[in-house]
Amino acid sequence: NLSRSRYGKNYTVEVTPTGEGDITITVAENSALNQGDGGNSSAAVTVLYIPPFGEGSGTEADPYIISTKEDLKSLSENNDHWDKYFKQSADIEFETLDFEEGGSFYNNGNGFSPIGNDDTYFTGSYDGEGHTITGLYIDRPDQDYVGFIGLNDGFVKDLGLINVNIKDGHYYIGGLIGSNFGSLSRCYVTGSVSGLDHIGGLAGAIYSGAVSNCYSTSSVLGEGQKGGLIGTFDDNQNANVSNCYSTGLVSEDGGGLIGTVWYNYDNLINCFWDTETSGQTTAVRDGNGKGISGLTTADMLEQDSFTGWDFENVWQMCGYPVLQWEQRTYCPPAIVGETAINVEENTGATLNV
């Protein structure tokens, strides 16, 4: 509060800090606070602190709490916080109106602004705490590094993105990560992802860091390097992908799991893709697909197909494998084929399935 006693007027300045340091308030000459008494009026100054997020201080012991769309907006628009710790405390769901003109995430039709870019990487930690974000929309045709997190050199875990619509990105486009140099664990993505080159349902590119126990059912559409899970994988910088799978449809000339693999030094481990739903019969479009196995849909529905996976602590079968933190209460029956039959009325025919 900035208050002026002479005329009984109160002035309020709201301050949302974007970093650490001193706050300086300057009263301009001839302003409302500096008029009367020859410009010598006194004012009591109190700074009203408005935290950037509802709770927390951004440290490992006291992470910022993400519980609303407004929290995500603050995170995406304030790169000074991209080296901090975050924890999501509730499921978050976007509405179509959020991305239309007048909506909080319209941004001239471009939708959500990715966290992390080529100027400032995300180097912090985002713990989804077993929560989801539904309905994320991004349309940035001239932008590289597009996803919920555009450029990641931090740590992301236990997060689900449901029904993403990431369309017409340029280079490095993924449902969760545009380009990754950090770590991803126990995450999944559903929906659709499209772009020009380096496109994946989970991540556009993995250049270093570890990716484990993740999956994508997103469809993937693009012209260049594209795969159901990852667009480009480069093991030359010690990248590692283990215990992951994808099932989404991949457009022509793509890889079932990965578009292009560079320098595969045995760091693709126990990964799978659905050869039927993906429309792809090869693990990768270019490069060495060692460590990746293609399975039919029927085999993808069998736990025994996923050798080396942890079904006691990480995974459970619900049709396809899902993460235990999803806590699925209903698993729809799997349909692995269809047979047409003709039963005449009142014939008493019996169908055994």
Side-chain angles (χ1 to χ4, degrees):
N1 273 319
L2 300 184
S3 62
R4 206 185 121 103
S5 59
R6 180 179 177 85
Y7 297 113
K9 294 182 178 180
N10 294 319
Y11 301 88
T12 301
V13 176
E14 295 182 349
V15 179
T16 300
T18 59
E20 298 178 355
D22 296 331
I23 296 175
T24 300
I25 298 175
T26 302
V27 179
E29 185 178 359
N30 295 322
S31 67
L33 277 174
N34 204 23
Q35 292 177 2
D37 293 340
N40 295 316
S41 297
S42 63
V45 177
T46 301
V47 175
L48 177 63
Y49 174 80
I50 302 175
F53 307 98
E55 301 176 51
S57 59
T59 65
E60 184 175 7
D62 185 31
Y64 287 129
I65 300 301
I66 304 293
S67 61
T68 66
K69 291 181 287 187
E70 290 71 26
D71 289 333
L72 286 179
K73 182 177 175 64
S74 181
L75 173 55
S76 70
E77 294 178 351
N78 291 283
N79 60 10
D80 288 334
H81 293 96
W82 290 352
D83 61 347
K84 301 299 189 292
Y85 287 82
F86 299 88
K87 181 189 295 185
Q88 188 169 323
S89 64
D91 295 340
I92 297 173
E93 186 169 355
F94 288 102
E95 300 176 0
T96 302
L97 290 175
D98 291 325
F99 304 104
E100 295 180 351
E101 189 168 2
S104 297
F105 296 86
Y106 176 62
N107 291 325
N108 296 318
N110 296 140
F112 185 82
S113 180
I115 302 162
N117 53 44
D118 51 355
D119 291 324
T120 307
Y121 288 22
F122 178 77
T123 58
S125 172
Y126 194 101
D127 183 354
E129 276 280 293
H131 291 292
T132 60
I133 298 171
T134 299
L136 183 73
Y137 173 81
I138 304 176
D139 183 5
R140 296 175 178 268
D142 299 320
Q143 184 170 326
D144 297 337
Y145 309 112
V146 173
F148 174 64
I149 297 178
L151 260 166
N152 177 55
D153 197 9
F155 184 58
V156 183
K157 67 177 182 178
D158 297 331
L159 177 65
L161 297 182
I162 300 174
N163 292 334
V164 301
N165 183 4
I166 299 178
K167 55 186 296 187
D168 301 330
H170 197 228
Y171 292 163
Y172 305 106
I173 314 301
L176 178 60
I177 305 288
S179 187
N180 183 71
F181 296 86
S183 297
L184 311 177
S185 178
R186 299 185 300 272
C187 296
Y188 74 91
V189 181
T190 75
S192 62
V193 180
S194 66
L196 183 62
D197 202 359
H198 308 286
I199 317 142
L202 180 76
I206 304 292
Y207 284 117
S208 64
V211 179
S212 63
N213 299 308
C214 294
Y215 72 90
S216 172
T217 66
S218 298
S219 62
V220 177
L221 174 67
E223 297 180 12
Q225 302 171 74
K226 55 189 175 293
L229 190 76
I230 300 166
T232 300
F233 173 81
D234 188 347
D235 193 12
N236 200 37
Q237 301 182 58
N238 297 318
N240 180 290
V241 178
S242 62
N243 302 342
C244 295
Y245 78 88
S246 65
T247 65
L249 179 67
V250 181
S251 62
E252 186 178 359
D253 200 26
L257 191 82
I258 302 176
T260 297
V261 173
W262 298 97
Y263 309 106
N264 184 354
Y265 299 119
D266 298 325
N267 280 341
L268 293 170
I269 305 166
N270 293 340
C271 293
F272 302 89
W273 92 98
D274 190 318
T275 58
E276 296 178 272
T277 58
S278 68
Q280 302 296 328
T281 58
T282 57
V284 302
R285 187 186 78 168
D286 297 308
N288 183 354
K290 182 180 179 181
I292 308 172
S293 300
L295 299 174
T296 64
T297 300
D299 287 336
M300 291 285 291
L301 304 179
E302 297 291 335
Q303 179 174 319
D304 290 343
S305 298
F306 299 91
T307 55
W309 286 30
D310 183 353
F311 282 94
E312 292 186 5
N313 303 298
V314 179
W315 296 95
Q316 68 179 31
M317 295 303 294
C318 186
Y320 290 98
V322 298
L323 297 163
Q324 288 190 12
W325 66 252
E326 296 180 57
Q327 298 181 342
R328 300 281 187 100
T329 58
Y330 171 73
C331 295
I335 300 176
V336 298
E338 297 180 354
T339 300
I341 61 172
N342 181 23
V343 179
E344 295 182 2
E345 186 177 2
N346 299 323
T347 60
T350 301
L351 176 63
N352 294 318
V353 180

